[in-house]
Amino acid sequence: MEKFKRLKNEGNDLVRTGEYEEAANKYSECMKLNTEEYTVYTNRALCYLKLYKYEEAKRDCDHVLQIEDSNIKAFYRRALAYKGLQVRKKNMAGI
């Protein structure tokens, strides 16, 4: 549990400095240690949104909402992922 907290805090620090890829990796490591801590899924979803990885962000939010259907952060970040996917689809149609 101590390693989990350390990794999560490192991920949070990386988010604050805008290092989203590295932060997502830290949160992924956290998930290997504890799959029940849903904040790391919503945190990683935030990283994916910042990296324009909308499908991955949506997947993390879907996972949280399957277990905790009232998680506001997961709803909000999933909505942002859907929005990003729609913009990408429109841009691809114009190519």
Side-chain angles (χ1 to χ4, degrees):
M1 192 52 106
E2 200 60 38
K3 184 177 181 183
F4 175 87
K5 285 182 180 180
R6 181 179 51 79
L7 288 168
K8 184 179 174 190
N9 287 334
E10 288 174 10
N12 293 343
D13 291 341
L14 289 165
V15 167
R16 284 187 205 97
T17 60
E19 299 173 69
Y20 301 112
E21 190 73 48
E22 294 84 357
N25 292 335
K26 294 290 182 183
Y27 295 135
S28 294
E29 288 181 50
C30 286
M31 291 170 192
K32 293 176 187 172
L33 299 172
N34 182 355
T35 59
E36 302 297 313
E37 179 66 46
Y38 304 121
T39 57
V40 293
Y41 287 89
T42 55
N43 289 358
R44 188 172 74 171
L46 171 67
C47 295
Y48 286 150
L49 288 169
K50 296 290 188 178
L51 295 167
Y52 308 105
K53 295 181 177 182
Y54 302 117
E55 192 60 48
E56 292 88 339
K58 180 188 156 318
R59 194 175 319 123
D60 277 355
C61 293
D62 286 342
H63 177 76
V64 172
L65 291 169
Q66 285 177 351
I67 293 118
E68 190 180 331
D69 64 357
S70 62
N71 188 300
I72 300 300
K73 278 188 180 179
F75 270 120
Y76 178 69
R77 291 182 179 159
R78 185 173 69 174
L80 292 175
Y82 276 124
K83 183 178 178 183
L85 288 168
Q86 290 297 342
V87 168
R88 181 178 292 158
K89 190 186 292 185
K90 286 180 185 176
N91 288 342
M92 293 299 284
I95 292 177

